[in-house]
């Protein structure tokens, strides 16, 4: 094992000369063609603008929980339009940047925002009523599934799973529309706020509940059926890849498990592998490590080794 050199952290006699040496070293470090040395970040998608667009979509999806103004049925359409128009403008610009970046990386002719990008954003906006219907079911499933929840309002305001699911359901549509980079930025924004890592490629059914949520990881090719419940620390992951193999990009090969309808997975469980199917209505207990399929109505529990109670 090689160790990194220890920098000289002693007193510096000439601070200005030290600054110049630092600048010389940093400039030199940018000379290689490594993509991390890219100096055209102004052409890449703007994370802050994308998050701003997402906040507008949150207003559209659940206006009463996000607006600070009084809204009545008579003004509802105008209020929604205000946020939807701003979201469309921001999204068109960011989709254009993401598409141009991806096309440049592949050596392809860049797509035009006024054609592909506007049509793509329009497809997302048309999907918003369906996204809202799914999220309403998610909120009610979470309220019904957690006796600690005292109201629907508490679930909306306080439960990280709902925030993560809102980002995922929007990002999943963008992923299906083959928008590069932006879906992952959205779900990672939610991941940073909630500790819940839902890859936008994952397929998630209706009435999905994530209780507590911290440490939940759902991989790109995972498939989750209807009425599924996950608790904190659950991983729906993949086996480690062999570094000598050609890396599979874009989710062509299924690497993550499938949970059929009505499955419950308790805290700390890990389920791995694209061929692993957890049958409908099964219960996977806490701390279980599962790498093979189980039939419907299974009960999978972790049996810890017996404790040594002998006197020391």
């Amino acid at each position: 094992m090689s160790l990194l050199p220890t920098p000289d952290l002693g007193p510096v006699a000439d601070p200005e000369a030290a600054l110049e040496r630092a600048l010389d070293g940093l400039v030199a470090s940018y000379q290689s063609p490594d993509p991390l040395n890219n100096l055209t970040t102004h052409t890449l998608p703007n994370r802050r603008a994308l998050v701003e667009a997402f906040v507008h979509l949150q207003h559209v999806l659940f206006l009463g929980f996000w607006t600070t103004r009084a809204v009545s049925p008579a003004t509802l359409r105008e209020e929604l339009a205000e946020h939807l128009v701003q979201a469309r403008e921001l999204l068109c610009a960011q989709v254009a940047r993401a598409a141009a970046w991806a096309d440049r990386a592949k050596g392809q002719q860049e797509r035009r925002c006024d054609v592909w990008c506007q049509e793509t954003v329009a497809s997302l906006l048309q999907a918003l009523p369906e996204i809202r219907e799914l999220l309403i079911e998610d909120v009610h499933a979470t309220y019904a599934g957690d006796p600690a929840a005292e109201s629907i309002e508490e679930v909306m305001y306080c439960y990280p799973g709902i925030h993560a699911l809102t980002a995922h359901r929007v990002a999943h549509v963008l992923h299906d529309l083959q928008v590069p980079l932006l879906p992952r930025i959205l779900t990672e924004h939610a991941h940073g706020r909630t500790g819940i890592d839902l890859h936008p490629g994952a397929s998630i059914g209706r009435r999905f509940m994530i209780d507590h949520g911290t440490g939940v990881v759902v991989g790109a090719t995972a498939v989750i059926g209807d009425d599924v419940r996950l608790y904190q620390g659950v991983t729906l992951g993949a086996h480690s890849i062999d570094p000598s193999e050609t890396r599979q990009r874009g989710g062509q090969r299924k690497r993550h498990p499938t949970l059929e309808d009505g499955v419950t997975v308790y805290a700390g469980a890990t389920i791995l592998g694209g061929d692993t199917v957890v049958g409908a209505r099964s219960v996977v207990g806490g701390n279980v490590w599962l790498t093979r399929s189980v039939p419907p109505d299974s009960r999978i529990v972790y049996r810890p080794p017996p404790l040594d109670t002998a006197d020391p």
Side-chain angles (χ1 to χ4, degrees), residues 27-283:
V27 169
S29 75
Y30 275 87
Q31 302 311 305
S32 79
D34 191 298
L36 292 175
N37 293 331
N38 166 47
L39 294 178
T40 58
T41 54
H42 63 284
T43 66
L44 291 172
N46 183 292
R47 181 187 178 99
R48 183 166 57 183
L50 181 60
V51 171
E52 183 181 349
F54 175 61
V55 171
H56 283 297
L57 293 181
Q58 287 179 302
H59 279 75
V60 169
L61 292 167
F62 294 106
L63 185 62
F65 291 91
W66 286 90
T67 187
T68 58
R69 301 184 300 201
V71 180
S72 70
T75 61
L76 177 60
R77 187 179 184 87
E78 289 73 17
E79 293 280 350
L80 293 174
E82 179 180 336
H83 290 289
L84 209 55
V85 168
Q86 293 183 73
R88 181 178 64 180
E89 181 179 350
L90 289 163
L91 285 169
C92 279
Q94 298 315 308
V95 170
R97 287 185 173 208
W101 163 78
D103 292 341
R104 285 195 304 271
K106 296 176 182 177
Q108 299 175 351
Q109 183 177 357
E110 294 183 14
R111 283 164 278 192
R112 293 175 56 84
C113 178
D114 58 353
V115 181
W116 184 82
C117 298
Q118 289 189 7
E119 291 176 351
T120 298
V121 172
S123 295
L124 170 64
L125 300 187
Q126 288 187 141
L128 289 175
E130 181 180 355
I131 291 174
R132 186 167 192 270
E133 179 182 344
L134 289 171
L135 288 169
I136 288 172
E137 292 182 355
D138 296 331
V139 172
H140 282 288
T142 300
Y143 176 64
D146 185 5
E150 296 184 356
S151 66
I152 288 292
E153 289 78 10
E154 180 182 343
V155 172
M156 278 296 305
Y157 280 125
C158 305
Y159 279 51
I162 300 305
H163 182 83
L165 270 173
T166 302
H168 176 272
R169 295 211 184 272
V170 172
H172 185 68
V173 173
L174 290 172
H175 178 272
D176 283 352
L177 291 168
Q178 300 183 348
V179 175
L181 197 54
L182 299 189
R184 194 65 187 273
I185 294 175
L186 271 182
T187 53
E188 287 304 319
H189 164 69
H191 181 196
R193 290 194 59 185
T194 66
I196 299 169
D197 183 359
L198 305 177
H199 193 284
S203 177
I204 297 178
R206 309 183 82 96
R207 298 175 296 279
F208 184 47
M209 172 187 170
I210 304 175
D211 200 3
H212 305 293
T214 304
V216 166
V217 176
V218 176
T221 60
V223 176
I224 297 175
D226 298 337
D227 303 299
V228 169
R229 298 181 183 183
L230 303 185
Y231 289 79
Q232 67 272 19
V234 168
T235 296
L236 305 183
H239 298 291
S240 296
I241 63 171
D242 185 339
S244 65
E245 295 178 356
T246 301
R247 293 180 65 102
Q248 294 278 342
R249 298 289 185 179
Q252 299 92 338
R253 180 167 61 89
K254 192 173 187 309
R255 299 178 293 115
H256 304 89
T258 295
L259 307 186
E260 294 183 343
D261 295 350
V263 168
T264 297
V265 185
Y266 282 104
T270 297
I271 305 173
L272 303 179
D275 295 329
T276 302
V277 178
V278 179
R281 301 172 301 281
S282 292
V283 175

